[in-house]
């Protein structure tokens, strides 16, 4: 039973944050490919005896790897903060909507004419049937 709950929670969050998870996986794959491509570039530079470019290749490889790893960590850390920000924005919009509704209701109350106000505050409301019965 616990495995089913754990699996359900895992798949729920995976589906909910699928865009972020996909981008993190792609960044890590790019970091791995940077290492493979670096190995090929080093072999090519050794074969052509252009060892002066080896330093540039090494620096570019590590820049790509470090950038991808740091950006992946940033995406992981901000997954749940985004959800909190969305909830705060929803609360703000709900508060603003309620405030607008209250203002609209106040304006509606002021739109009554004098005759409508007399009718609303009349203590005893009589219909035409009541008037006919009284005669």
């Amino acid at each position: 039973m616990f495995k089913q709950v754990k699996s359900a929670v895992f798949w729920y969050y995976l589906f909910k944050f699928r865009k972020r998870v996909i981008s993190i996986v792609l960044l890590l794959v790019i970091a791995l490919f940077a290492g493979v491509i670096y190995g090929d570039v080093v072999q090519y530079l050794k074969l052509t005896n252009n060892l002066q470019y080896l330093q540039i290749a090494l620096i570019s490889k590590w820049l790509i790897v470090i950038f991808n790893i740091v950006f992946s960590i940033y995406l992981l850390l901000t997954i749940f903060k985004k959800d909190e920000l969305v909830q705060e924005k929803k609360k703000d919009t709900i508060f603003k909507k309620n405030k607008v509704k209250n203002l609209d209701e106040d304006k509606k109350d002021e739109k009554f004419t004098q005759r409508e106000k007399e009718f609303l505050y009349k203590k005893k409301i009589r219909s035409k049937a009541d008037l006919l019965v009284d005669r």
Side-chain angles (χ1 to χ4, degrees):
M1 169 103 177
F2 182 71
K3 288 183 181 181
Q4 292 174 340
V5 172
K6 188 170 62 171
S7 177
V9 169
F10 172 76
W11 286 108
Y12 168 75
Y13 282 114
L14 185 65
F15 182 75
K16 185 175 180 181
F17 301 114
R18 65 183 172 271
K19 289 181 183 177
R20 289 234 178 172
V21 170
I22 290 170
S23 62
I24 290 169
V25 169
L26 287 176
L27 287 170
L28 294 177
V29 167
I30 290 171
L32 292 175
F33 277 130
V36 173
I37 291 171
Y38 173 75
D40 290 340
V41 169
V42 168
Q43 285 180 353
Y44 174 75
L45 291 175
K46 284 182 182 177
L47 289 175
T48 59
N49 291 328
N50 291 331
L51 298 179
Q52 68 269 17
Y53 299 114
L54 196 59
Q55 184 179 11
I56 296 170
L58 179 66
I59 291 172
S60 62
K61 172 204 163 189
W62 282 110
L63 283 176
I64 292 170
V65 169
I66 290 172
F67 172 77
N68 287 336
I69 291 173
V70 169
F71 194 63
S72 297
I73 291 171
Y74 169 75
L75 288 175
L76 282 174
L77 293 176
T78 59
I79 281 178
F80 296 106
K81 287 186 179 182
K82 180 182 176 186
D83 202 24
E84 292 172 0
L85 292 174
V86 170
Q87 289 176 354
E88 288 177 11
K89 287 181 182 179
K90 285 181 182 178
K91 287 180 184 177
D92 290 341
T93 56
I94 291 171
F95 177 73
K96 288 179 183 177
K97 286 180 182 178
N98 288 338
K99 191 174 182 181
V100 169
K101 285 181 183 178
N102 290 339
L103 291 174
D104 289 341
E105 289 174 2
D106 291 340
K107 289 180 182 178
K108 287 180 183 177
D109 290 341
E110 295 173 3
K111 291 183 179 181
F112 291 129
T113 63
Q114 185 64 30
R115 185 173 178 198
E116 290 170 338
K117 286 181 182 178
E118 288 174 5
F119 181 74
L120 284 173
Y121 299 118
K122 198 172 192 180
K123 290 185 180 180
K124 189 171 183 182
I125 299 176
R126 299 178 65 176
S127 66
K128 288 185 179 180
D130 292 335
L131 293 174
L132 289 174
V133 170
D134 287 343
R135 289 185 190 171

